[in-house]
Amino acid sequence: MPGRIAGRTLLDPRSLGDALKMLRDEGPLTPMAGCTDLYVALNFATLKETRFLNLWRLEALRTIELRGNLLCVGAMATHTDVVRSPLVRRRIPMLAAASSEVGGAQIQNRGTLGGNIANASPAGDTLPVLAAADATVVLTSTAGTRRVAFSAFYTGYRATVRRPDELITSVEIPVLRGRQSFRKVGTRAAQAISKVVMAARFEPGRGSAPAVVRIAFGSVAPTVVRATRTEATLAAGHALDVALGVLAEEMTPIDDIRSTALYRRRVAANLLMQFWKGREV
Ligand SMILES: Cc1cc2nc3c(=O)[nH]c(=O)nc-3n(C[C@H](O)[C@H](O)[C@H](O)COP(=O)(O)OP(=O)(O)OC[C@H]3O[C@@H](n4cnc5c(N)ncnc54)[C@H](O)[C@@H]3O)c2cc1C
């Protein structure tokens, strides 16, 4: 039986400042963005929280803009906003690709980047992209703003470093050069939770600057994971076969209802192979 809405409270701030004060003074409150994940929990009667903070009106958190060298994507930017943004498509096409594969049109119109990050599902499609992009999560409270490297944001299964008085306000993405790739493998091409997601990028070395390789996987572990030893092997110029051997050693995929560890291992190797062979195209 679906959970009940009656008996739950929704606070409706009109500005970020109001929202942060409410979080500080009237908490604990659960932030509510597009509600596409929260509503699923309500429907399955697993939503325990009773007091919510509506972020939907906070237009200031929806902007996508350049600040200096950084691309700043507001937490309330929806997946549709992300897909339509010329800045995102130019600077980080793998993020536009990931958002374009989140659910269907309705989910993309409501679901937000901040919600995808905060929900901390191992299958969140944008998470491997942000890991591969060396992104930074911007967290804000009435006490100020702090920046956390995306690779340090998750502390375990569905656990993050965000404090209850903080909101994710944006994500900052540095300048990325070279080839980027996003691949999602699931039961169907659309509307399916992934079995393996990979985001990767390759920036050839320039002068004394070494090559940069980033490879991140989703849906294979309790949190998004970077294949750091495989990255280092490829960046050092070793052959793909050597890197595939390293990937096989460092990757210990989960076995679950959606797929087996063996399948995930093979798919991950195939995705890496395709990416690496196509990197100069
Ligand atoms: C039919 C369907 C298909 C889906 N398909 C996909 C898919 O293919 N890929 C995928 O990755 N996801 C998918 N999802 C999950 C969901 O749509 C995404 O995770 C979406 O980005 C969540 O964003 P939201 O704004 O709706 O989050 P909400 O549901 O509003 O919030 C999710 C969580 O994040 C917290 N939160 C939200 N915003 C903030 C913030 N700014 N600061 C702090 N905490 C915050 C909330 O408290 C809550 O815990 C699907 C969901 C449905 C219902």
Side-chain angles (χ1 to χ4, degrees):
M1 200 164 79
R4 289 163 57 86
I5 291 185
R8 299 183 199 258
T9 305
L10 181 64
L11 277 67
D12 207 7
R14 300 301 164 101
S15 69
L16 175 60
D18 284 349
L20 296 175
K21 281 188 201 131
M22 287 173 180
L23 266 186
R24 181 192 61 194
D25 301 334
E26 301 180 53
L29 293 168
T30 301
M32 195 179 98
C35 212
T36 58
D37 277 311
L38 288 173
Y39 195 81
V40 171
L42 177 73
N43 212 30
F44 281 104
T46 54
L47 187 64
K48 300 283 175 272
E49 293 85 354
T50 55
R51 289 168 53 73
F52 298 86
L53 183 71
N54 183 13
L55 307 182
W56 193 251
R57 292 173 196 264
L58 306 184
E59 285 296 322
L61 297 189
R62 193 157 276 156
T63 53
I64 300 177
E65 60 189 7
L66 288 180
R67 286 187 211 140
N69 258 345
L70 295 174
L71 173 63
C72 304
V73 184
M76 288 301 294
T78 63
H79 294 290
T80 299
D81 294 332
V82 167
V83 171
R84 289 185 180 164
S85 162
L87 277 175
V88 172
R89 290 210 303 266
R90 195 167 67 241
R91 297 266 302 234
I92 178 162
M94 61 181 169
L95 181 59
S99 282
S100 75
E101 294 202 30
V102 171
Q106 301 93 328
I107 295 297
Q108 289 172 19
N109 286 341
R110 284 292 302 193
T112 63
L113 185 63
N116 204 228
I117 297 167
N119 194 51
S121 160
D125 281 330
T126 67
L127 311 191
V129 170
L130 297 172
D134 295 315
T136 299
V137 181
V138 182
L139 294 159
T140 309
S141 70
T142 53
T145 293
R146 64 183 178 123
R147 289 176 163 74
V148 178
F150 195 79
S151 54
F153 186 69
Y154 298 102
T155 53
Y157 178 67
R158 305 206 86 147
T160 78
V161 299
R162 182 181 80 83
R163 299 192 312 256
D165 67 331
E166 287 177 318
L167 289 176
I168 298 174
T169 43
S170 67
V171 180
E172 295 175 343
I173 297 154
V175 176
L176 307 174
R177 295 192 179 84
R179 186 177 157 81
Q180 304 175 14
S181 167
F182 171 80
R183 287 293 308 276
K184 171 174 175 174
V185 176
T187 309
R188 299 185 301 267
Q191 294 279 26
I193 299 181
S194 56
K195 295 170 192 271
V196 181
V197 183
M198 186 189 83
R201 66 187 180 94
F202 170 67
E203 193 179 314
R206 293 198 306 182
S208 59
V212 175
V213 180
R214 293 287 183 269
I215 302 159
F217 290 102
S219 285
V220 299
T223 63
V224 57
V225 284
R226 284 240 327 259
T228 51
R229 285 178 49 214
T230 309
E231 290 173 356
T233 304
L234 289 168
H238 293 290
L240 176 61
D241 279 353
V242 178
L244 288 170
V246 174
L247 181 68
E249 273 171 29
E250 79 171 324
M251 194 179 190
T252 48
I254 49 169
D255 246 323
D256 70 4
I257 188 169
R258 287 200 300 280
S259 189
T260 62
L262 179 67
Y263 179 83
R264 286 185 160 109
R265 203 181 267 286
R266 285 200 185 148
V267 170
N270 289 345
L271 294 182
L272 177 60
M273 216 159 20
Q274 283 170 10
F275 167 69
W276 197 247
K277 286 183 176 166
R279 76 192 184 285
E280 310 281 8
V281 177

